[in-house]
Amino acid sequence: AATSSTTTTTASTDNSSTTTVPIRKNPSVSLPLDPMVEQLTLLSDTSWKMSLNIGREQGTWMPKDWGVSGDRLLINLQIDFTGQQLYKREDFLGGLGGARILKIKDNQMTLSPSVREGIQTIRALEGGW
């Protein structure tokens, strides 16, 4: 098991109380995942085709000079949500954390044609999720 219990006594102004505090035997073992992280693992070892349509939207809080041309950035890519750990060790939290490797098929994405240019293939690197 990754945890054990120890009993400590703490004094308060009214009386003394006994509290059980969990102690990690092996700090390199990650703590149990919370329910939200467990739901995210449903993506592990799945492949997706993604299409992104990026541009200025009505009512945005963006500065007035951003995206004024009305052009949209249309991106298509195929990604794999792997179950492989992104980091060998995550020092801040004292464990491996939940970050996983995100792979992009053929390390490329396609920018759809715009008014100014035709289809472009752009090199993309893997990252994390």
Side-chain angles (χ1 to χ4, degrees):
T3 61
S4 64
S5 296
T6 188
T7 303
T8 59
T9 304
T10 55
S12 67
T13 53
D14 334 80
N15 57 13
S16 294
S17 63
T18 302
T19 307
T20 302
V21 179
I23 303 289
R24 293 172 71 186
K25 286 182 182 178
N26 183 353
S28 67
V29 175
S30 295
L31 293 173
L33 299 175
D34 67 39
M36 179 58 89
V37 173
E38 287 181 16
Q39 287 179 4
L40 291 176
T41 60
L42 294 173
L43 286 174
S44 286
D45 301 316
T46 62
S47 296
W48 295 75
K49 287 184 178 181
M50 293 187 78
S51 294
L52 307 173
N53 183 340
I54 302 169
R56 186 176 185 88
E57 298 294 329
Q58 252 184 345
T60 185
W61 291 3
M62 293 169 58
K64 299 284 184 209
D65 58 338
W66 288 10
V68 293
S69 70
D71 281 351
R72 309 287 299 182
L73 182 59
L74 306 174
I75 302 172
N76 295 296
L77 65 158
Q78 294 182 27
I79 59 174
D80 295 325
F81 291 96
T82 73
Q84 300 168 300
Q85 286 286 328
L86 179 60
Y87 303 108
K88 291 182 181 174
R89 179 172 172 81
E90 197 286 308
D91 291 327
F92 181 71
L93 298 174
L96 294 174
R100 307 281 187 236
I101 294 174
L102 176 81
K103 293 186 177 183
I104 299 175
K105 184 177 182 198
D106 300 327
N107 286 344
Q108 66 183 21
M109 60 184 182
T110 305
L111 299 182
S112 293
S114 68
V115 173
R116 297 185 188 124
E117 297 184 43
I119 293 175
Q120 299 175 43
T121 300
I122 306 293
R123 182 172 179 255
L125 301 175
E126 64 186 32
W129 67 280

